[in-house]
Amino acid sequence: MVENTDPLEALDDKVAADAFRRLVRHLQHRHDAQNIELMGLAGFCRNCLADWIRDAGFDGDKAAAREVIHGMAMEEWKATRQSPATDAQIAAMQASIAKNAQE
């Protein structure tokens, strides 16, 4: 039997869940950090987190998962929080996403 030495895997599930909730609440508060900017810098955004909770077993559909992460319906988020993306932001996002494929 091979022992997993990844400290992330050894992290208690409650601690991990609390940290995840804190991250999501931080992103809900910091709506000035646009998804396109998060994608450009880190290769993930709020919508990715919504996809990841679905991958982890969330029973809801894509819209419900996004509402959990955004703290509101996606239509409301877009109308009240989302700015149009610039060409530079789109280029940065595309370059960042390309790095994800290298994982």
Side-chain angles (χ1 to χ4, degrees), residues 27-44:
L27 290 172
Q28 288 174 348
H29 172 72
R30 288 296 309 272
H31 53 82
D32 58 311
Q34 294 288 300
N35 278 345
I36 191 83
E37 295 168 333
L38 294 171
M39 289 295 293
L41 290 172
F44 84 99

Side-chain angles (χ1 to χ4, degrees), residues 4-100:
N4 187 343
T5 59
D6 181 352
L8 188 56
E9 292 300 325
L11 190 61
D12 179 78
D13 285 348
K14 182 184 179 332
V15 172
D18 287 349
F20 172 78
R21 287 183 183 99
R22 185 174 178 180
L23 169 64
V24 170
R25 286 186 182 108
H26 180 77
L27 290 172
Q28 288 174 348
H29 172 72
R30 288 296 309 272
H31 53 82
D32 58 311
Q34 294 288 300
N35 278 345
I36 191 83
E37 295 168 333
L38 294 171
M39 289 295 293
L41 290 172
F44 84 99
C45 69
R46 293 167 183 87
N47 296 335
C48 297
L49 291 173
D51 292 342
W52 296 346
I53 65 170
R54 291 184 70 216
D55 292 347
F58 177 73
D59 287 333
D61 63 8
K62 183 183 256 187
R66 285 184 175 187
E67 188 167 339
V68 168
I69 299 300
H70 288 273
M72 62 185 70
M74 194 69 202
E75 296 76 23
E76 181 181 354
W77 172 266
K78 285 182 177 182
T80 63
R81 305 286 197 272
Q82 186 170 307
S83 302
T86 66
D87 290 341
Q89 288 172 318
I90 292 169
M93 177 193 70
Q94 290 170 337
S96 183
I97 290 172
K99 292 178 185 178
N100 288 356

